[in-house]
Structures are given as structure tokens and as C-alpha cells.
Amino acid sequence: TPLSHIRNFSIVAHIDHGKSTLADRLIQSTHTVADRDMKEQMLDAMDIERERGITIKANTVRIDYVADNGEAYVLNLIDTPGHVDFAYEVSRSMRAVEGSLLVVDSTQGVEAQTLANVYQAIDADHEIVPILNKIDLPAADCDRVAEQIEDVIGIDASGAIRVSAKTGVGIKETLEAIVHRLPAPKGEEDADLKAMLVDSWYDSYLGVIVLVRIIDGRLKKGERIRFVSNGTIHHVDRIGVFRPQMQVVDSLGPGEIGFLTASIKQVRDTRVGDTVTHEKKIVKPLPGFKPSQPVVFCGLFPVDSSQFEDLRDAIDKLALNDASFSFEMETSAALGFGFRCGFLGLLHLEVIRDRIEREYDIDLITTAPSVVYRIFMRDGAMQELHNPADMPDLSVVDHLEEPRIKATILVPDEYLGDVLKLCQDRRGVQQDLTYAGSRAMVVYDLPLNEVVFDFYDRLKSVTKGYASFDYQMTGYQTDNLVKMSVLVNDEPVDALSMMVHRDRAEMRGRAMVEKLKDLIPRHMFKIPIQAAIGGKVIARETLSAMRKDVTAKCYGGDATRKRKLLDKQKAGKKKMRQFGKVEIPQEAFISALKMD
Ligand code: GDP
Ligand code: MG
């Protein structure tokens, strides 16, 4: 296909605004997939993605379209991940295409992820076609939403297309707009091969599949290629395109998007954003390449310690397909053997944890998520802290730095006060506050550590679900941070230790011990529960001793009731861990760390 007849684009949207449904309609109306093979959410492959309605890995499809002018075009759609945790992958896949469809739900309007994603598209110099979706719904208000797109995002929305991805209205206009309003790619057929590695994933039959966008030159089957970042050389054994199933082709030329396989064993051996060329060629690498870094760490431990090997196996398998997930073995005095794992964000953490529990059937204890702190030692050295349990003695530490984020929140007016209070409570510094219609957009500078645990849940609850939220990392800043330890029956429970701001330590310590007092069942003896910084106790509660056997109150009369009670205790026991002489239920680890 000549460059003039190729269009490469992505779809950007806030979650649930209809990105996947629109992709389905584009695929279906062009007969890319036969009607009998059509199923909903064609591009969302993993079950968990479907359930949560999010696309995690970028997916791609090549669509043949004969336009109203009678000419045949090739349209390549790259479906980008819609969540903030995967912002880096979004930015890479954006650079592989020239235009975007900006989908906004015409009953809702612009939301935080609409903004975050469209700014990525603007950064990548995209031509942008606004789409007002869901016009079949009575609550659709296209004029208001078009105005909002102009006011809040600052792009021309006069040519916005009114679409119902559900009924198919406006799909034809959308296809024509892709052909006539988005630019054709540029590239040189005769130049040395230069391709961008857009994405990669593991397939159990073919090994690692690498998605590439050819910038210049031509890639053929059987050739030897080199990844510029690490100099590794591979023999290409297969080239193809997605329709959306794989279809083998002989070669890929400038402007085209497709895949290659080259007997690569691990996703780790490929890097998103890398430049691919022929073995002996020297090309200038594509700008802006940086490997993605985990920002949130937590410990994963099997509830049943005999499942440790199963957990190792599950983590190994998941890591094969996810280069941004890191792990190393961890031993905890309290929890035994497990893994310290690093994630791109909280959603990423949740997805991996859910998959281990569901696909591998392992009950997990998850310790408090922690961000990566930088410890500056007295001797001038710097080290990263991934686990509060590893915090060195304060006598060798000069100061600590913590990561900060820029958070953007869109919220209806009536909840603004609660949102400001929440951000303020989390050590936020307000940077901006603007209005668009009856919605406020506030921008806060916040410590990531105050956001990782339950900020999003709190935000949802104080705004009854009407707020949308997005963030990006901005950098590190010094603050007065200390490690708080928790002692149960005078034994430190390492899995509950956490980094806190000094000014908030008493409050957090108090809340923690009060919660633990409720969460830990009574034993036959008195149990002191304490929070401490260094050797100094900052909060203390005492759990009084149990007076009688629990079954005593059943009076021995009702045997079934008595048995039920014992069964219930036994089931509860499965999720208990022994700390010295004390048993702590698994849920205590999560609940104790929530702040209200
Ligand atoms: P995504 O999260 O942006 O991929 O959104 P989806 O495509 O999964 O759509 C979210 C929900 O909105 C689904 O329940 C869709 O069926 C529904 N939806 C999408 N487009 C339309 C539309 O044009 N009209 C109506 N009524 N519902 C739609
Ligand atoms: Mg989707």
C-alpha cells in the first residue's frame, strides 16, 4: 500500500465512554471480521480486562476500507491502555500513529482520563477528530459537550462527529473522517530499516510477539535484526498483521504496523519504545526511550505457607508477559516466605494480585503498598527504599526524599469542598482551580505515598462516584519522614511497619492500634498493641483477655449450633497467621492500614 493510502490512529477516551464499542463497530462495519465471528470487545483479550472494562495491553487491528471516493485505504488502529498506571505505554503507542479519535460520552462530558489521554495525543502531534458518543441516549447533550471540549481541552470541536457506537449512527462519517482528516504517515522506502517497538507480549506457541511500526525501510521474513538499546540480534521467523487475528505477510514497509516473531523467549528481552534495525545498520535511535519503572511496592505472601512454591511459579509465569512487574524473594519474621513486588501503580498491583488469586488459586496476604523512597546517607551515598522494613538506622541517615505527583480531579461543584478537604488532609498543595460549566477542575501537588493506599476509594465515596482522577509523577522532594513500627504482644510485626510523615505519625499510630484492637480476636491473655518510632511508643491499646470458652454460651443444648460455631472458627483460622503467641487475621493487614 502506498503511504498516501495508509492511516494510523488510536482512540482516546475516559473509561466507559465507548472506546471498545467504537472499535468493534469500525471492525464490523468494514467487514474486517465476518459477522458470525464478531463478539463484543474484540480487542480486549484478557478476561480480567473485560470484567473491569479496561484495556491493559495495547491492541491493534488492520482494517481495509474503500472510501466514498472509490479508493482503498488501510487503517491501522492501535488501542491504547486507558489507565494512568500505563501512561508510559500510552505515550509510546501514541508515537506510533499520526492521529486520534477523541471519544467523549455526550451524556457525561470531559473527564480526568479524557484530559490525560488527549494531552498525550497532543504531545505526539496528533491530528484529533472529536467524537461525541452515545447520542442514542436521551441525556445526550452534544452542544454542551462540544463547548466543553473547546473550553477545557482547547481544541476545535466544530467538526465533532455525533456517533452512537451502539446503534452504528455516525460510523460511516467516522471512517471518512479518518481518511480525509488524519494525515498519511511519512517514511522512506529506500532508507535503512528503522522501526519502533510499540509493544510485546508472550504467546505460548510463538514465543514473544513484537508489535512494530515501520518508520523507514522494509522488514522481511528471514532477516536478522538488532534492538538498538541492548544490541541483541535476532533472526526474524515470522511477520504479519492483525485483523485482529494474526495473518502472515511477506514484509512490512514504511508507515505499516504489524508484528514479528524471532524466537525471543522473554518479554524482558524487548523494550517498549526501542528502535529496531537490520543487524549491521547504524541508525539514530528514536527519541525519548526510557524503560518503565515500578513506583509502588508491596509484599505478597501465601496465607498457607505450603503454597510458597505455587506462588513462585505463578509470579514467574506472570512476569514472562509483563516486563514492568518486578519481584524478588522476601522473608518476613511475621509472614514467612514471600515476594516483594514492584508495580507501575495501584491498578497494576490489583490486577496482578487478582490474577494470582483467581487463575492460580492462591490466597494471598498483601502488605501495605509503599512507594520508593530515596535515602541519603550521612556518607553521601543514596539508596532506594522499597520496603519500610529495610529502613536503616537513623544515625546513618542524613535525609529522605519521597515521590510527588500532580493530580488532576474533575468534580461537580457541590462536592468540591469535600475534595479540597481530602487533598488537604493528604498533605496536598493546591496548584490550580478552574470551572467548566458546573464542574470544577482542581490540580494538586500530592505525595504519592498519601495516594497509594485508599485515596481513590475515598475520593469516590466523598463524591458519590462523580469525581474523576488522574495523576502523573513529578519528582522527589525532601520531607520529614519516619518509620513507624507496630508491636503486638511486644513482638514487632514487620509487615505492618510503614513510612509516615512525622507530623502525622501520632494520628496514624493511634488509628492503627485502635483498629488492630478491633481486628485481633481476644486470646486467653492480655495483649498490648503499640505503635512506635525508633524505641519510642507513640500509641498504645490493650486487648483484654477472653474470659470463657466461646462455645460455653451455647449451653451445650444445640449441637448443630455449636458445630457451626466451631466450623466458622476453623474457616476463620485458615486466614489467620501466628505472631509469637498471637493470631492475627489476614484482613487486619489491609484494614489496619486504611485511613479514615
Ligand atoms: P470503554 O471503557 O471506553 O472501552 O467503553 P466501552 O466500549 O466498554 O463502553 C462502556 C459502556 O457504554 C458499555 O456498556 C457499552 O455498551 C456502552 N456504550 C458504548 N457506546 C454506546 C452508545 O453509543 N450508546 C449507548 N447507549 N451505550 C454505549
Ligand atoms: Mg474498553
Side-chain angles (χ1 to χ4, degrees), residues 310-325:
D310 299 337
L311 177 59
R312 182 203 295 279
D313 191 47
I315 285 177
D316 275 341
K317 288 217 178 84
L318 289 172
L320 269 184
N321 207 7
D322 188 347
S324 47
F325 157 55

Side-chain angles (χ1 to χ4, degrees), residues 348-422:
H348 189 210
L349 184 163
E350 254 185 69
V351 166
I352 299 266
R353 189 187 59 202
D354 276 18
R355 291 190 65 186
I356 294 173
E357 295 206 315
R358 289 200 291 174
E359 294 171 27
Y360 297 90
D361 201 20
I362 301 169
D363 274 339
L364 291 173
I365 292 176
T366 313
T367 65
S370 167
V371 301
V372 178
Y373 295 92
R374 288 181 180 164
I375 311 176
F376 292 83
M377 314 298 269
R378 289 254 152 96
D379 65 8
M382 190 275 276
Q383 69 187 56
E384 288 192 341
L385 180 71
H386 292 175
N387 187 349
D390 299 334
M391 178 70 193
D393 194 81
L394 284 179
S395 62
V396 295
V397 174
D398 185 67
H399 68 282
L400 284 168
E401 286 183 0
E402 65 176 342
R404 306 213 35 129
I405 59 165
K406 178 181 153 193
T408 304
I409 301 166
L410 273 88
V411 63
D413 277 355
E414 64 257 49
Y415 303 111
L416 180 63
D418 297 314
V419 170
L420 297 182
K421 178 166 184 313
L422 176 65

Side-chain angles (χ1 to χ4, degrees), residues 430-446:
Q430 197 185 102
Q431 301 201 305
D432 198 12
L433 174 58
T434 48
Y435 290 89
S438 60
R439 319 197 91 214
M441 180 173 101
V442 327
V443 179
Y444 259 88
D445 170 50
L446 280 155

Side-chain angles (χ1 to χ4, degrees), residues 13-21 41 53 133-134 136-137 163-166:
H14 186 73
I15 188 149
D16 281 344
H17 282 201
K19 183 171 77 161
S20 302
T21 312
Q41 314 251 323
N133 190 31
K134 307 198 187 182
D136 58 294
L137 294 175
V163 168
S164 167
K166 187 174 172 188

